[in-house]
Amino acid sequence: MALLLSYAAATVAALFCIMYFFHRRACCRYPLFTDYPILGMLPQLLFNLSRFHDFFTEILKEKGGTGEFTGPWFTNMNYLFTSDPLNVRHVMSTSFHNYVKGPVFRDIFEVLGEGIAATDSEAWKYNRDLIHYLFKQKKFEVFLEKTIHKKIKNSLLPVLDHVHQQGSVVDLQDLFNRFTFDNLCYSVNGHDPNCLSVDFPEVEIEKAFNDAGETIFRRHVVPKCVWKLQKWLQIGQEKKMTEACKNLDEFIYACIASKRKNLSKCIEKNETEETSDVDLLTTLMREGKEKGEEHDDIFLRDTVFNFFVAGRDAVTSALTWFFWLVATNPLVEAKILEEIKETFGRNEKKAEVLSVEEVKKLVYLHGAICESLRLFPPIPLERKEALKSDVLPSGHGVNPSTVIMFFLYSMGRSEEIWGEDCMEFKPERWISEKGGIVYVPSYKFVAFNTGPRTCLGKGVSFIQIKMVATAILHKYRLQVVEGHVAKPNLQTFF
């Protein structure tokens, strides 16, 4: 009897597995690659993890730009990957209200709280309107230009001078991470931590950002039940995440407490706007008081954290890849320098740091930066979740709760979008015959997102990149260490 029961149980289990196997086959109509029993497509992904960006680019090209990824059975790690610009426009603009960040995103990106990057509907709109108001303050624009100018002149160039005198090698990504973090701290909180100095001090808060970014990526490729268990047990990468979040929160809440104290003193002294701080945190607090909508510490924490996430990695990545591309394309470097000389004369005593209005005149430089962002977008993946069933322009069906992953890195390497020379670094593709900037629809060039969620800091980012680029190229010639292989960092999914 026991033997018959065991046989019956095995038969039922086998039938269940077979039925589930065919069910997955029916649900996954456009597989990206081999769907193994039980493990799904995860083995092939993990095997190619070290070349994740190029691996998916090659696969998407083979599949016509869109395909499905299914994870291990019963893990719900199912994504629809696409690099089709028409799909991007449909989801991000045409059917914007049907596609949201969703609860899965907020679970993975819990560190973002209720900030603009993680919210939907009215909460997102409120955050966006508020940030748009802050960025449009003329006094903040002036303050920001002075902040960038001062950091380049007093920190960035002296550090590079020191490196040059020592004849040593410098990690540009680390250099720009420090530069961007100092700038963000001062423009957001009014405090410069001086991470960028000749001794390159170890900064705990910087390490916390990196640990959080790595954990965010791992949560995308590890089954939810696994990372949730690690989080509960406080082991592995999730333990690092907990420690990172603790350090980040302590840092931000300390800044908020300090600002509240300073703002109270300013109000007591009736200090005028002209003499008060204009950093974003102070402006946000002051604006809340004036409107009778004083924001609590949690709201301020989430807003500040989202500022750091949006500004730090984007500018760091853009600057690092820009200088790598320029250093490996000497003709482009020569043309940028020639444009600077032709625009501002050949006076070698020209100011080391150009102003905002001056860098806006450099068309070829703008094209080179766009080209860099095309090939190496700061955020290579953008995700959305469907609320209702839909059909994409590519013909692929979408069910409720389907997670769509736009692979921006792959889009920048698409012959259909950019032509047969899409792998070449050609700033000229951005310049018209009349010498102006060529307009490219944002759903094709998605470095700063597209549709209603287009990045509000796009203009600020371009200005910062241009000011740094001209200051460095005016004074130095950069060279890539012989034999060094540069490749995208997996942590840039943060």
Side-chain angles (χ1 to χ4, degrees):
M1 179 63 73
L3 184 62
L4 286 174
L5 289 174
S6 298
Y7 177 76
T11 302
V12 171
L15 285 172
F16 178 78
C17 289
I18 292 171
M19 291 173 63
Y20 190 75
F21 175 76
F22 282 104
H23 169 71
R24 279 174 65 92
R25 282 293 181 91
C27 292
C28 185
R29 292 169 290 173
Y30 318 100
L32 283 172
F33 34 85
T34 306
D35 186 7
Y36 294 98
I38 301 180
L39 297 177
M41 300 181 189
L42 189 60
Q44 203 164 344
L45 170 61
L46 295 177
F47 182 76
N48 290 278
L49 198 59
S50 61
R51 54 184 299 269
F52 177 91
H53 299 73
D54 292 325
F55 170 65
F56 262 89
T57 297
E58 293 163 6
I59 293 294
L60 284 170
K61 187 175 181 180
E62 291 177 9
K63 300 296 181 179
T66 305
E68 293 174 275
F69 172 88
T70 55
W73 294 7
F74 308 109
T75 62
N76 201 31
M77 288 178 61
N78 305 320
Y79 309 113
L80 179 66
F81 279 83
T82 185
S83 57
D84 187 330
L86 296 182
N87 287 345
V88 173
R89 181 174 63 178
H90 177 82
V91 172
M92 301 299 289
S93 297
T94 309
S95 299
F96 175 75
H97 294 293
N98 189 44
Y99 294 91
V100 296
K101 292 291 186 178
V104 176
F105 177 94
R106 284 191 287 277
D107 199 20
I108 294 175
F109 289 82
E110 60 183 334
V111 69
L112 296 175
E114 294 298 314
I116 187 172
T119 50
D120 295 305
S121 303
E122 293 304 314
W124 165 77
K125 189 176 185 304
Y126 177 80
N127 275 290
R128 186 174 179 84
D129 290 344
L130 181 60
I131 294 171
H132 184 262
Y133 165 79
L134 295 175
F135 278 3
K136 288 300 180 182
Q137 299 292 304
K138 183 62 180 177
K139 59 182 180 180
F140 175 69
E141 292 180 12
V142 174
F143 170 71
L144 185 64
E145 180 179 3
K146 290 181 179 178
T147 300
I148 298 170
H149 189 284
K150 181 179 178 181
K151 178 53 60 173
I152 294 174
K153 186 176 181 180
N154 296 343
S155 297
L156 181 61
L157 294 180
V159 167
L160 288 175
D161 283 339
H162 176 76
V163 171
H164 175 67
Q165 291 167 5
Q166 297 294 316
S168 55
V169 173
V170 65
D171 180 345
L172 283 184
Q173 185 173 18
D174 182 32
L175 182 84
F176 293 136
N177 250 334
R178 294 168 181 274
F179 169 82
T180 306
F181 186 72
D182 283 351
N183 263 338
L184 274 170
C185 279
Y186 198 74
S187 58
V188 175
N189 302 330
H191 169 70
D192 185 351
N194 290 313
C195 298
L196 182 58
S197 60
V198 293
D199 55 346
F200 284 84
E202 183 176 350
V203 183
E204 188 175 19
I205 195 69
E206 181 72 14
K207 182 179 181 300
F209 269 106
N210 292 334
D211 287 343
E214 184 179 349
T215 305
I216 293 295
F217 174 76
R218 287 179 180 273
R219 287 180 177 181
H220 278 89
V221 298
V222 173
K224 181 179 178 179
C225 59
V226 174
W227 68 259
K228 281 285 188 180
L229 179 62
Q230 288 183 327
K231 181 180 178 182
W232 183 66
L233 295 173
Q234 280 300 287
I235 60 175
Q237 192 65 37
E238 288 299 324
K239 181 179 180 180
K240 287 186 178 180
M241 183 63 158
T242 300
E243 294 171 350
C245 290
K246 179 183 177 182
N247 290 332
L248 291 168
D249 283 350
E250 286 178 353
F251 170 74
I252 295 174
Y253 281 125
C255 291
I256 293 171
S258 176
K259 281 296 169 186
R260 285 201 187 281
K261 186 176 180 180
N262 291 340
L263 187 58
S264 296
K265 289 181 179 179
C266 290
I267 293 174
E268 289 175 6
K269 297 178 181 178
N270 289 321
E271 191 174 87
T272 62
E273 256 187 45
E274 287 74 17
T275 60
S276 63
D277 292 335
V278 289
D279 59 80
L280 286 174
L281 182 55
T282 300
T283 305
L284 187 59
M285 289 179 171
R286 192 183 297 275
E287 184 266 349
K289 280 184 174 292
E290 291 174 355
K291 291 186 176 182
E293 301 175 355
E294 190 168 352
H295 306 295
D296 62 25
D297 284 4
I298 295 177
F299 177 87
L300 294 174
R301 177 267 175 208
D302 292 346
T303 302
V304 168
F305 191 87
N306 278 253
F307 276 140
F308 276 100
V309 169
R312 171 184 173 269
D313 285 343
V315 174
T316 295
S317 172
L319 282 170
T320 305
W321 283 115
F322 169 80
F323 279 104
W324 182 80
L325 287 165
V326 168
T328 53
N329 291 270
L331 289 179
V332 172
E333 180 182 38
K335 289 181 179 180
I336 293 174
L337 292 171
E338 185 63 26
E339 180 182 51
I340 293 174
K341 289 180 180 179
E342 288 182 355
T343 305
F344 303 109
R346 299 180 179 271
N347 182 3
E348 294 299 324
K349 294 183 179 180
K350 173 69 183 173
E352 289 181 325
V353 186
L354 300 180
S355 68
V356 169
E357 293 305 315
E358 286 175 326
V359 296
K360 286 180 179 179
K361 299 175 183 178
L362 301 173
V363 176
Y364 190 83
L365 174 63
H366 186 92
I369 294 170
C370 288
E371 190 70 341
S372 174
L373 291 167
R374 174 183 73 84
L375 290 168
F376 297 100
I379 306 296
L381 272 176
E382 173 72 25
R383 62 177 286 158
K384 285 288 187 178
E385 183 176 329
L387 293 175
K388 300 177 182 178
S389 296
D390 195 10
V391 178
L392 300 179
S394 60
H396 295 79
V398 174
N399 297 319
S401 299
T402 295
V403 175
I404 301 178
M405 306 288 274
F406 302 119
F407 203 5
L408 314 188
Y409 180 90
S410 179
M411 291 179 70
R413 288 158 168 73
S414 169
E415 292 183 6
E416 287 74 16
I417 302 175
W418 303 103
E420 294 181 357
D421 61 352
C422 62
M423 296 303 295
E424 295 180 33
F425 180 55
K426 285 180 59 178
E428 289 79 8
R429 80 173 78 241
W430 295 89
I431 303 171
S432 68
E433 293 181 358
K434 295 182 179 180
I437 298 297
V438 171
Y439 168 74
V440 176
S442 59
Y443 64 87
K444 293 183 178 180
F445 177 57
V446 203
F448 293 97
N449 221 319
T450 184
R453 280 190 178 265
T454 297
C455 178
L456 292 170
K458 177 180 178 180
V460 172
S461 297
F462 265 111
I463 290 300
Q464 189 169 181
I465 295 166
K466 289 176 181 179
M467 290 177 71
V468 172
T470 52
I472 293 179
L473 292 177
H474 175 75
K475 195 171 183 181
Y476 305 103
R477 301 286 81 77
L478 301 183
Q479 292 181 323
V480 178
V481 173
E482 188 175 351
H484 176 73
V485 178
K487 61 180 181 179
N489 192 333
L490 294 178
Q491 294 178 15
T492 55
F493 287 79
F494 192 20

